[in-house]
Every structure is written in structure tokens, then in C-alpha cells.
Amino acid sequence: MRHVLSVLVENEPGVLSRISGLFSGRGFNIETLNVGPTLEEGVSLMTITTTGDNQIIEQIIKQLRKLITVIKVVDLTEMQAVEREMMLIKVNAENGNRAEILRTVDIFRCKVVDVATTEMTIEVTGNQGKLCALVNLLSRFGIKEIARTGTVALKRSMQLD
Amino acid sequence: MELTGADILLECLKREGVDVVFGFPGGAVIDIYDAIPRYSLRHVLVRHEQGAVHAADGYARASGKVGVALVTSGPGATNTVTGIANAYCDSIPMVVITGQVPTPLIGNDAFQEVDIVGITRPCTKHNYLVKDVDQLATVIRQAFYLARSGRPGPVLVDLPKDVVQAKTKFVYPKSVKMRSYNPTIKPNKLQLKKAVDMFLDAKRPLFYVGGGVISSNGSEELSWLARNLNIPVTATLMGLGAFPGDDPLFLGMLGMHGTYAANMGINNCDVMIAVGARFDDRVTGKLDAFAPEAKIVHVDIDPTSIRKNVRVDVPVVSDCLEALKGFKELAQARLDEKDWKKVHQPWVDQVQGWKVEHPLTYKIDPECNKDSGDGKIKPQFVVETIYELSKGDAIIATEVGQNQMWAAQFYHYNKPRTLLTSGGLGTMGYGFPAAIGAQLAFPDKLVVDIAGDGSIQMNIQELITAVCNDLPVKIVILNNTYLGMVRQWQELFYARNYCATCMDAQPDFVALAKAYGAEGYRITEPEDVKPVLQEAFALPKACIIDVRVTKEENVYPMVPAGASLTEMLLV
């Protein structure tokens, strides 16, 4: 099963390598990994999506907690969380297709951030499902490049049953 | 007053109670070496950096203190990696200080530069590159704290040359605060109670103990529990000595080369109390068939050890000593309730039956001297003789392979910290430098390295370290001119294809000992084993005793890799 882990770490040199090394060294899978600063100086937040059965996920979380530079690990899959990913997608946009692409962009509430005579770059944010749907829809025009950030996530303030 | 980084380092070591450092100098650490004579610190010059780390490891295991090694950058640092990985696998408290090229050169492929922090990341508990002399005291303080607290382990501190040379005011941090590191020391009381209720009311409880009991100093509590509640004990290789080896309740080691009684005990127990052991594959054999009838209580200070390999019914995250104390307290309160000894007696009888049925033994050819096999010397007999002569009061270090297993099987470890062996990593070449470390911690004790002819050649250069430091370490080579354990596997599972395991081209170990200024003996007849060992043990200098043992002797019992513990090949 896919899990989203929110990992608070001391922002020291090598911390990313400690985390990624833990995954590769122990044969755990990383689907996406995203790092950024937090409100607190010297502390970064990593959002890691990974897959595995319960026993593997339990090991991943425990092993992460064991690292000296890791402050906190939360499995967001166990609670309600907001998950977002940003993607830039460069698509073939010949004259005949342009209108349809723009309509799709509109429906998906994404933005065109770059246009040229034969292609268009679109910025989109959303959860995995939305991003996949857009990729599917645009693929028939021919996708030239994709850049994705990987998931970022935060726990929802209200945990409703 | 301002001090240089070198002085700050040495001041910190002094305050951490370090009295001996094992090291090898080089350009990047020359300033530290320049400062050493100003401190009352014993520096032991080894001949290879791997030897320094193993010696620090042996010192730590025998004394319970943190071992310290000091080496230079580049090759000095990379030569420590095996020793560090070894200490990491066995959770040995250690601080390794490596020199590094000056900070402006880092990353430039400078002379003798290597990213040792990157290289040792997966095999240290934690590691540091100190970039500023102002951080140095704090880092060293943290390094020692991390090495010895929680689940102990090796910590590496990489010191660039300019940091060592720079000056600053020396402030030794009063305490260590690391918000991201808070090991759980005290057990959860509810879990403790659940565990005690479970094993008291069990019909067939069994203690399965590992190195954690030794490193937490929990042996006394364990003995109290086992004896007062009449619960048999089996130990891992790392756990030998945690419970007296000659106690009737002790079943010996379990696992691949464990005793029949221990492995049958595992197979038949209804509650297993695993303390400070991690269910290693050499211990469990086939996981699905491991302790099939047992509910499992698992005490470990490291949460990652729990449920890593086996399902656990009552997890107790705690220092082993604290958990055992907790068990004792709760058990004491229930002592009047029932005669627990009587409750568990039928099980103890059954277990002891297995001990009688298949004791540890080896075949003796009736044609020959009773102590020998095919006219030559049995390696097991040599180990038994070491036990007899030392009265069990020696510190035994081992190399890796058959010698290690015979040392585990045929010597009774009655006290903790008397067996130094590479449990997790299985490092050939570990035993001798480890013995040097132990002898430094206990100059008056008999320290014996039980070695194989293959393993001893992996760090034999340390002979001169032993000789010039007046360390009377005894190396008993169980010389079968084979890489014996691999040969045993080839015999049993690879149709006797003895590829690359025959070592009949050998140095003259006796001459070699003498060349180094040590004493050398060779034993070829069974009747000489005892008198020669006796003479060597009494000699106040380092000795090699080259014992020519039966060439194709195997270690039994043996559970083939991947089989269940009940599928033992017996003698």
C-alpha cells in the first residue's frame, strides 16, 4: 500500500543522503521525495511517498526515527491529510489542437505558463489522481517533457471521522 | 585561554575518561600527535588501522567503556571501515577519529582525501564532519554520548587539518541535548506486567538472550529470574556469558551451530522471553518454523529490532537491565502465590533430558589416545583444555569460522564480557587485535585468542603491537590448513569441491612469532596439548601456539542454512 510520510529533519549537510541511503541500503522503495525548509530555521520537512506492506512501513518509520538527524516522523496515511503535487507538462500544440488543449487546461484549473508555435507548457497542481488524469488526456497530443515535484502533504486541521 | 583543535580534542577525551587510544599517525592528524605527549593518554601504535578499530572494540567489550581509535585521512580512514562495520553490527560503543584534508581542499580530490563520512554513513550510529573549531568540543561530547547511550554503536568524527590547527576558547559542554535523539530507557509498565503474567503462567517458558543483556549489565537480574522461577536459558553467540555457562539451567548457544537442547527448547517452548537479541538468521534458521508454539516477549532498546523478523506478542522497548529489573520486581510480588519452580519443573526436566540425550561432543577414535581423534588433535579438545587450564577465568577472543564456533561450544562463559567475538559481521582478523584491546583493559588477566590458520593471517601484523606493549596475549591457532568453515560447507553442500579453501602453504607460525619477538610453540601430539598450553599461559609474553588439529573436523550440531532448527545434523 502507498504511504505518505512526513519527516521533520535537522537541516545538516548529508541529511538527504542519510535518508535516501537508508531506503536504498535496506531495499525500501521511494516513490517520491520532497524536501523544503520549514518555519523553524535549521529544520526541513521531507515528504516521502513509499509503498510496502504494514510490516515494511513499520520498519521504514522505525528506521527513520532511529536516524540521529530525524526529529519526527508522521505517517499521514493514518489520518486525513491534504496532498498536493505540482507538475509542469510540455505538450505538442499544433494549431488544430490548441483550442482543445486550452479547454482541458481550463477544466483542470491549470495555467499555461509558456507558449511557442508548436508547443505549450502547462502548470498544474493537485493530487496524484488529478495529475494522472491530465497526463492521460494530454497524451494524445504528444507530451514532450514532464517535471514533477513529488507529493507534499500536511495533516488536515480537523480530523473528522 | 585559547586552545588548538588538537588540544581541545585531547581535553575532551580526558574529560570523557579515555585512558587509551589505538591509532596510527599521518599527515592529516600530525597536529594531534604533536599534542599527545602533553597528555596522560596512552597511545597504542598499531600496524594497520583495522587493527586499531578492532583493538578499540575489544577494549570496549571487555571493559564496558567506549573504545577510541585515531587515524589519518584517506587510506587511514578507509582502513577503519571493516572495524567500524563490525562494531556497528555488534552494537559496540566506540568513537573513531579520522583526519581529513583542510576544509578548503575538501572536494578537490586532494592528496589522501576521501569522503569517509559518506562512506561510513550506513555503518555508524552517527558521524560528523567538523567544519569549525568552535563546534569541536560539542561534537566530541555528542559523539561519546551517542556511542554509549541507547543502543550503543560506533560514531565517527572527521577532523579537517585546519580545524585541528585553529584556535578557540575551550568550553566543554556541561550536558548533551539533542532533541532528535531520545532513546527509550525505561520500559512501559503495562507491557512489563503482560510479559511477566505470560511467562509465569507458561508451562514451557524459555529465555533467549543476546548481547544486549551483556552491554546493559543485566546478567545478575537475568540469573535471579531464571533461577528463582526455574526458567531455562539459551543465548546467542553475542549473549554467551550473560548467564553462567555451567549452570544446569543453561542450554548453550542456539541456532545454526547451537546445541540440540537449545534448538529443541526453542521448538517446544510456549513462551519465549527474548532479551537484547535480534532474531538473526543464523539464530532462527527457517523463520516460519522458528518457535512455532511460542508467544514471544521481546525486550530491546532499539524499536527497529522488534518485529523486524518475527511476530512479537509483547514488545518491550527498553534498556535490557531496566526491563529485567522490572520483571524481577513484578515476579517477586508473585513469588508467594505459587511455587513457580514446581510449575516449571516438568519443562526443565524435559529440557535437561535433551541435554543428556545429545550433549555437545565430538568423535574419539578408540584406537588412539582418548583425547584425540584420528591420531591427531581434536580442536574441540584444545578448547576444552583452555577452559580447564584457565578455570574459565580467561577472556577469550575468537577469530571467525570453525574456531569461533568451537570456542562458543566448548568453553563455558560464566561471566559477562569474557567472550569477544565478531557476531554480526563475522570479521576474520577480528580476534587478535580485539585480544590486544582486552589485555590493555585487563593487564593481569589471561587473554586468549582462539584462532584459525586462515583468520589469524588477516591481522597478524599486530603481533609487534602486542610485543612492544608487553601484552602477553596468547594466540591458539587451531591449525587445520583449511578455511575450515567454508570447507565444511563445501563438504556438506557442494559435493566436496574444495575450491580455494586449502591453505597448506603456510608461514612457519613458530618462526614468525619469534621473528616478532613473541614466543612460538607447535603442538602435534594430543598429550602435549595440556603441558604446552600450560607453559605458554604462564609465560609473561605474547605467544603463538600452533596446534595441528584434525584436518577435516566439522562443527556439529549444524542446521543447514534455511532449514528449521529441528533439522540438525548431529555428530
Side-chain angles (χ1 to χ4, degrees):
Chain A
M1 193 189 146
R2 176 176 172 273
H3 283 246
V4 180
L5 306 179
S6 179
V7 184
L8 211 58
V9 299
E10 302 279 2
N11 187 7
E12 287 171 13
V15 65
L16 180 61
S17 149
R18 279 182 208 283
I19 304 258
S20 57
L22 169 74
F23 276 80
S24 60
R26 293 189 180 270
F28 299 142
N29 176 44
I30 296 185
E31 216 164 72
T32 69
L33 194 162
N34 180 291
V35 198
T38 61
L39 280 176
E40 194 178 341
E41 205 178 318
V43 175
S44 294
L45 183 72
M46 292 191 183
T47 310
I48 303 174
T49 53
T50 181
T51 47
D53 59 26
N54 287 342
Q55 197 246 346
I56 286 175
I57 298 295
E58 183 183 322
Q59 264 302 308
I60 291 175
I61 293 171
K62 284 172 166 178
Q63 294 285 359
L64 283 170
R65 285 184 179 142
K66 191 168 148 180
L67 292 178
I68 307 293
T69 38
V70 169
I71 302 164
K72 195 176 173 189
V73 184
V74 178
D75 185 354
L76 291 175
T77 324
E78 286 175 356
M79 48 190 77
Q80 288 167 350
V82 191
E83 258 184 58
R84 289 292 181 272
E85 181 174 358
M86 187 178 130
M87 174 168 68
L88 293 173
I89 178 164
K90 194 182 277 176
V91 61
N92 258 335
E94 313 287 345
N95 273 345
N97 294 333
R98 236 162 237 271
E100 169 123 34
I101 294 174
L102 285 173
R103 253 200 314 278
T104 312
V105 167
D106 201 34
I107 293 164
F108 274 76
R109 287 189 215 106
C110 26
K111 269 197 285 189
V112 176
V113 290
D114 186 45
V115 189
T117 47
T118 56
E119 60 189 31
M120 219 183 251
T121 303
I122 297 153
E123 172 199 311
V124 55
T125 59
N127 61 18
Q128 258 198 332
K130 177 175 167 184
L131 266 55
C132 286
L134 185 67
V135 170
N136 265 336
L137 275 174
L138 295 180
S139 57
R140 63 195 162 110
F141 304 113
I143 295 170
K144 292 187 158 176
E145 271 184 273
I146 282 181
R148 296 175 74 152
T149 59
T151 302
V152 289
L154 280 180
K155 190 178 106 176
R156 283 194 190 275
S157 304
M158 289 174 77
Q159 294 288 314
L160 304 171
D161 291 329
Chain B
M1 199 183 84
E2 292 201 329
L3 295 183
T4 63
D7 280 302
I8 289 172
L9 168 69
L10 294 166
E11 281 291 337
C12 287
L13 296 188
K14 193 163 87 182
R15 283 173 169 72
E16 292 294 337
V18 176
D19 38 28
V20 56
V21 170
F22 301 89
F24 199 98
V29 285
I30 195 164
D31 294 275
I32 300 172
Y33 276 86
D34 191 54
I36 284 178
R38 295 200 291 275
Y39 292 82
S40 59
L41 181 72
R42 180 162 185 187
H43 178 270
V44 175
L45 176 65
V46 294
R47 296 306 189 265
H48 187 293
E49 287 88 352
Q50 188 188 352
V53 181
H54 288 327
D57 175 311
Y59 176 87
R61 288 188 209 224
S63 68
K65 295 189 208 167
V66 179
V68 182
L70 168 63
V71 303
T72 193
S73 65
T78 52
N79 276 348
T80 64
V81 173
T82 303
I84 292 172
N86 184 71
Y88 185 64
C89 282
D90 288 347
S91 308
I92 304 305
M94 180 190 293
V95 172
V96 176
I97 296 152
T98 51
Q100 182 54 279
V101 300
T103 45
L105 293 185
I106 290 180
N108 287 2
D109 302 327
F111 176 65
Q112 292 196 329
E113 182 196 351
V114 77
D115 173 16
I116 195 64
V117 169
I119 289 173
T120 58
R121 215 167 261 144
C123 62
T124 48
K125 182 168 172 184
H126 193 53
N127 59 14
Y128 296 90
L129 169 63
V130 183
K131 282 197 165 160
D132 182 347
V133 71
D134 288 322
Q135 299 169 350
L136 181 55
T138 306
V139 166
I140 299 293
R141 185 88 158 96
Q142 284 185 359
F144 276 87
Y145 172 65
L146 287 174
R148 65 164 74 96
S149 62
R151 179 175 182 172
V155 178
L156 181 136
V157 183
D158 200 23
L159 294 180
K161 187 163 177 169
D162 57 327
V163 170
V164 172
Q165 290 172 332
K167 284 186 168 184
T168 191
K169 200 167 164 244
F170 174 56
V171 184
Y172 187 68
K174 281 200 185 92
S175 59
V176 182
K177 269 195 212 117
M178 299 173 77
R179 69 167 168 177
S180 53
Y181 176 71
N182 295 296
T184 308
I185 307 296
K186 299 263 181 197
N188 176 301
K189 286 196 172 145
L190 270 173
Q191 295 297 88
L192 277 187
K193 191 172 177 308
K194 254 198 226 170
V196 172
D197 289 345
M198 193 184 270
F199 66 70
L200 272 184
D201 293 318
K203 287 201 173 76
R204 304 182 305 276
L206 178 70
F207 273 110
Y208 150 53
V209 303
V213 175
I214 294 176
S215 59
S216 71
N217 300 315
S219 297
E220 248 177 70
E221 274 69 20
L222 172 68
S223 299
W224 186 94
L225 284 161
R227 286 171 180 159
N228 284 280
L229 307 173
N230 213 12
I231 299 177
V233 181
T234 177
T236 67
L237 179 62
M238 287 292 294
L240 292 175
F243 187 72
D246 58 8
D247 193 291
L249 282 168
F250 188 59
L251 307 182
M253 184 171 75
L254 78 161
M256 182 174 275
H257 293 295
T259 63
Y260 180 80
N263 287 345
M264 292 302 285
I266 293 290
N267 199 51
N268 287 279
C269 67
D270 62 354
V271 170
M272 168 187 288
I273 316 132
V275 191
R278 63 191 172 91
F279 297 88
D280 174 68
D281 54 286
R282 281 289 189 272
V283 155
T284 59
K286 189 176 169 190
L287 266 177
D288 301 342
F290 181 75
E293 295 172 28
K295 287 203 158 110
I296 297 177
V297 176
H298 190 183
V299 179
D300 206 296
I301 196 159
D302 180 357
T304 66
S305 281
I306 293 173
R307 278 202 289 266
K308 186 171 65 181
N309 299 333
V310 296
R311 66 195 157 76
V312 169
D313 299 281
V314 187
V316 183
V317 177
S318 158
D319 176 75
C320 291
L321 172 65
E322 294 295 332
L324 289 165
K325 270 186 186 166
F327 287 159
K328 181 176 166 185
E329 213 171 282
L330 290 168
Q332 264 172 331
R334 289 189 60 185
L335 272 187
D336 300 336
E337 201 178 293
K338 249 188 214 169
D339 185 350
W340 299 108
K341 281 194 176 183
K342 221 169 158 185
V343 173
H344 300 142
Q345 192 56 45
W347 165 238
V348 171
D349 289 341
Q350 188 179 4
V351 162
Q352 274 161 351
W354 287 321
K355 277 171 86 170
V356 177
E357 211 177 308
H358 291 290
L360 273 176
T361 185
Y362 48 97
K363 270 193 193 136
I364 296 166
D365 186 341
E367 297 285 305
C368 302
N369 180 312
K370 79 168 178 58
D371 295 328
S372 72
D374 47 1
K376 300 193 195 84
I377 304 163
K378 287 282 174 180
Q380 299 93 331
F381 167 68
V382 180
V383 176
E384 282 177 340
T385 310
I386 295 170
Y387 177 68
E388 186 192 332
L389 290 175
S390 65
K391 300 177 185 72
D393 198 31
I395 295 175
I396 303 292
T398 81
E399 303 295 342
V400 166
Q402 288 184 319
N403 62 82
Q404 180 184 32
M405 290 300 109
W406 288 318
Q409 291 175 333
F410 290 90
Y411 190 101
H412 305 287
Y413 300 91
N414 289 324
K415 285 183 211 137
R417 302 191 182 282
T418 52
L419 171 63
L420 321 175
T421 192
S422 172
L425 196 65
T427 311
M428 289 172 74
Y430 166 79
F432 177 41
I436 288 179
Q439 189 81 76
L440 262 152
F442 296 99
D444 301 326
K445 276 218 163 199
L446 174 63
V447 179
V448 183
D449 174 34
I450 297 182
D453 49 296
S455 282
I456 191 61
Q457 295 187 60
M458 283 213 176
N459 270 316
I460 200 154
Q461 75 288 344
E462 299 309 330
L463 252 178
I464 196 67
T465 308
V467 169
C468 66
N469 284 282
D470 295 322
L471 301 170
V473 173
K474 316 298 174 201
I475 304 167
V476 179
I477 303 177
L478 304 176
N479 188 344
N480 54 13
T481 66
Y482 273 118
L483 296 176
M485 190 56 98
V486 187
R487 189 209 56 77
Q488 175 169 342
W489 281 54
Q490 288 171 332
E491 177 191 327
L492 297 173
F493 314 116
Y494 293 85
R496 294 179 186 262
N497 180 16
Y498 293 168
C499 178
T501 44
C502 184
M503 288 199 125
D504 49 6
Q506 276 187 338
D508 178 340
F509 287 113
V510 174
L512 190 129
K514 289 184 175 156
Y516 274 108
E519 195 50 73
Y521 301 88
R522 177 165 297 116
I523 307 177
T524 53
E525 299 305 320
E527 56 272 20
D528 293 339
V529 171
K530 199 169 167 184
V532 174
L533 284 179
Q534 204 158 19
E535 186 188 326
F537 289 178
L539 200 71
K541 65 194 282 195
C543 299
I544 287 185
I545 304 106
D546 177 20
V547 192
R548 297 306 175 95
V549 298
T550 317
K551 286 181 104 175
E552 298 202 357
E553 184 69 15
N554 285 342
V555 180
Y556 290 118
M558 178 175 193
V559 177
S564 81
L565 291 188
T566 48
E567 298 171 62
M568 281 167 276
L569 310 173
L570 298 164
V571 177

